[in-house]
């Protein structure tokens, strides 16, 4: 959360409680529907108030892929999708009084120890599934012969925040041709206009509902925005790659007048051979992870945020801490976890190295294989095997 978005939250009225979800404007969410969807499956063998145990419910069939580049009509805003109230004036006054949205000065020397190890990206064929962490929520994903960028931010500084504390892990000139970009939401540290301007205007952009007009005004010609549980497929040398837009516990805002006017969420990328990566974007912890895991069984790797979480009383609804990221990986049923959203921009009060130490401790406590925690340095790469 940037200073710009923190300041602009003051424009919002206080709210309480969880708000219900609504159906998409054009009824196009497919079989999965929109909004909260089906609840988590009931465990086999359990009973409620003496009732007989019910078998687990089958996940709904995945939505048929939508046409690329279609023009959609959306609701005026997506406030009904919030799973927690946005902070009001009192919360902002408290955070200003406490001054805890930056690490303590004595912890700043830890910046020099942040892991940064850029290297050449692995060779990628049509069956390769490989990732390179450029920093923050920016990944270079090689899948099915495509090169996909997630929330690309190659700028040194973004609006309302200090400059990045580690360089970008991949030089722009070293990138292979970019075949697609996925965006999780419109906050400045995830939707960076100066970075997108570097791309050819025919680059396919896959966006949350309501963001297509923003991209088209900037000259992009292959723009697709989706509701939760909707999908598209992109042709690829190894066969079609599927992109599903899935829910997240977050919100959107870019100016003083556009709160929740576009949607927010994560992405499921499915390779031609069925391997799956979940890119969570920016999210708090909550019920959506179990539902995503139910609908998309067999997730191989989850890219989950572990930073920008302190103070918890303010940031818990929208940013997972390291322990919550490990729980989210479990809820998703994902085999491996790649932490992100730390070590790049100092957006909150935790010490710079704390997210790494805590996620390693939380992962070890689960007893899961150490090699399935992909705690990569900025700039490093790893290839997902086919097992």
């Amino acid at each position: 959360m940037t200073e710009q978005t923190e300041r602009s939250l003051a424009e919002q009225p206080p709210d309480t409680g969880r708000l219900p979800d609504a159906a998409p404007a054009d009824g196009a969410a497919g079989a999965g529907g929109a909004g909260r969807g089906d609840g988590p499956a009931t465990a086999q063998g359990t009973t409620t108030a003496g009732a007989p145990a019910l078998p687990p419910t089958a996940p709904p069939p995945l939505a048929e892929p939508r046409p690329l580049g279609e023009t959609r009509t959306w609701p005026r805003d997506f406030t009904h999708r919030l799973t927690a109230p946005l902070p009001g004036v009192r919360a902002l006054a408290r955070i200003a009084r406490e001054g805890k949205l930056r690490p303590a000065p004595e912890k700043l020397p830890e910046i020099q120890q942040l892991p940064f190890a850029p290297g050449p990206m692995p060779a990628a064929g049509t069956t390769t599934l490989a990732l390179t962490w450029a920093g923050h929520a920016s990944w270079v994903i090689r899948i099915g012969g495509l090169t996909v960028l997630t929330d690309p931010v190659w700028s040194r500084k973004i609006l309302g925040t200090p400059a990045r504390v580690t360089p970008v892990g991949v030089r722009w000139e070293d990138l292979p041709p970019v075949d697609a970009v996925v965006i999780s939401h419109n906050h400045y540290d995830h939707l960076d206009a100066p970075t997108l301007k570097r791309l050819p205007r025919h680059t396919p952009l896959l966006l949350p509902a309501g963001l297509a007009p923003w991209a088209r005004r900037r000259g992009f010609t292959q723009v697709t925005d989706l509701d939760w549980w909707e999908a598209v497929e992109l042709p690829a040398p190894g066969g079609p790659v599927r992109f599903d837009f899935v829910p997240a516990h977050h919100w959107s805002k870019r100016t003083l007048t556009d709160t929740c006017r576009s949607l927010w969420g994560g992405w499921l990328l499915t390779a031609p051979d069925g391997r799956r990566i979940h890119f969570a974007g920016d999210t708090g912890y909550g019920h959506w992870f179990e539902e995503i895991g139910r609908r998309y069984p067999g997730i191989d790797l989850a890219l989950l945020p572990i930073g920008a979480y302190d103070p918890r009383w303010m940031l818990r609804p929208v940013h997972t801490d390291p322990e919550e990221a490990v729980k989210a990986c479990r809820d998703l049923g994902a085999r491996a976890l790649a932490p992100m959203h730390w070590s790049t921009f100092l957006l909150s009060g935790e010490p710079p190295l704390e997210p790494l130490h805590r996620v390693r401790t939380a992962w070890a406590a689960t007893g899961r294989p150490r090699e399935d925690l992909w705690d990569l340095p900025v700039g490093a790469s790893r290839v997902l095997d086919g097992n």
Side-chain angles (χ1 to χ4, degrees):
M1 183 183 298
T2 67
E3 290 177 358
Q4 171 74 12
T5 56
E6 292 154 12
R7 288 194 301 269
S8 60
L9 276 172
E11 302 294 320
Q12 303 308 308
D15 193 6
T16 57
R18 179 174 290 176
L19 299 172
D21 294 319
D26 57 6
R36 200 168 306 284
D38 302 320
T42 302
Q44 182 106 31
T46 62
T47 60
T48 302
L54 297 175
T57 59
L62 299 183
E64 287 296 318
R66 295 193 66 90
L68 289 165
E70 65 178 327
T71 301
R72 310 284 294 275
T73 300
W74 300 109
R76 175 176 172 79
D77 67 61
F78 294 88
T79 305
H80 57 282
R81 304 292 182 88
L82 292 171
T83 48
L86 298 177
V89 174
R90 289 184 180 179
L92 295 180
R94 176 180 173 184
I95 201 66
R97 183 173 64 252
E98 295 178 355
K100 292 184 178 178
L101 276 178
R102 293 291 178 268
E106 63 269 19
K107 295 295 185 179
L108 292 179
E110 292 184 4
I111 292 173
Q112 304 304 318
Q113 304 172 50
L114 292 173
F116 179 71
M121 286 184 291
T126 58
T127 60
T128 304
L129 210 170
L131 297 93
T132 303
W133 190 30
H136 203 50
S138 302
W139 295 87
V140 184
I141 301 178
R142 318 291 292 281
I143 181 169
L146 300 180
T147 297
V148 180
L149 302 184
T150 69
D151 289 0
V153 179
W154 261 250
S155 297
R156 179 176 176 272
K157 194 176 188 304
I158 54 177
L159 184 64
T161 69
R164 60 196 308 147
V165 294
T166 50
V168 182
V170 182
R171 297 189 310 166
W172 189 262
E173 54 269 30
D174 292 338
L175 285 174
V178 176
D179 298 297
V181 172
V182 299
I183 299 292
S184 63
H185 66 297
N186 71 352
H187 287 161
Y188 284 92
D189 58 324
H190 294 259
L191 179 61
D192 184 49
T195 298
L196 294 182
K197 286 180 181 178
R198 298 185 180 197
L199 293 166
R201 295 305 184 266
H202 63 266
T203 305
L205 301 186
L206 306 183
L207 307 172
L211 262 185
W214 182 94
R216 292 189 178 111
R217 287 195 300 269
R218 284 154 180 82
F220 286 94
T221 59
Q222 298 190 44
V223 179
T224 306
D225 56 350
L226 298 179
D227 202 345
W228 290 343
W229 312 121
E230 292 184 337
V232 294
E233 286 185 345
L234 291 182
V241 176
R242 181 178 170 111
F243 297 78
D244 288 74
F245 189 54
V246 296
H249 298 274
H250 207 61
W251 64 298
S252 69
K253 188 180 188 72
R254 201 166 174 88
T255 71
L256 292 176
T257 61
D258 69 348
T259 301
C260 296
R261 294 288 180 86
S262 60
L263 198 50
W264 52 90
W267 292 90
L268 249 297
L269 282 63
T270 304
D273 63 6
R275 286 179 292 170
R276 281 177 167 158
I277 295 178
H278 175 240
F279 167 67
D282 209 351
T283 182
Y285 179 74
H287 68 285
W288 281 130
F289 291 108
E290 285 190 359
E291 181 62 14
I292 293 166
R294 188 175 78 92
R295 292 176 183 244
Y296 303 91
I299 295 172
D300 294 278
L301 178 64
L303 314 180
L304 293 167
I306 66 166
Y309 53 78
D310 185 33
R312 294 310 286 149
W313 65 263
M314 181 176 184
L315 296 175
R316 182 185 303 276
V318 293
H319 288 160
T320 50
D321 65 21
E323 293 79 14
E324 289 169 335
V326 171
K327 288 193 293 183
C329 182
R330 174 205 63 196
D331 294 349
L332 289 164
R335 175 162 62 93
L337 164 63
M340 64 174 184
H341 206 266
W342 79 284
S343 190
T344 309
F345 299 104
L346 299 182
L347 303 177
S348 56
E350 71 271 6
L353 277 173
E354 182 179 280
L356 180 62
H357 297 324
R358 286 177 55 174
V359 78
R360 287 174 173 174
T361 299
W363 187 264
T366 69
R368 299 178 67 172
R370 177 63 179 85
E371 61 269 20
D372 288 343
L373 177 62
W374 292 22
D375 48 345
L376 301 178
V378 174
S381 302
R382 189 162 172 180
V383 177
L384 183 69
D385 62 44
N387 296 329

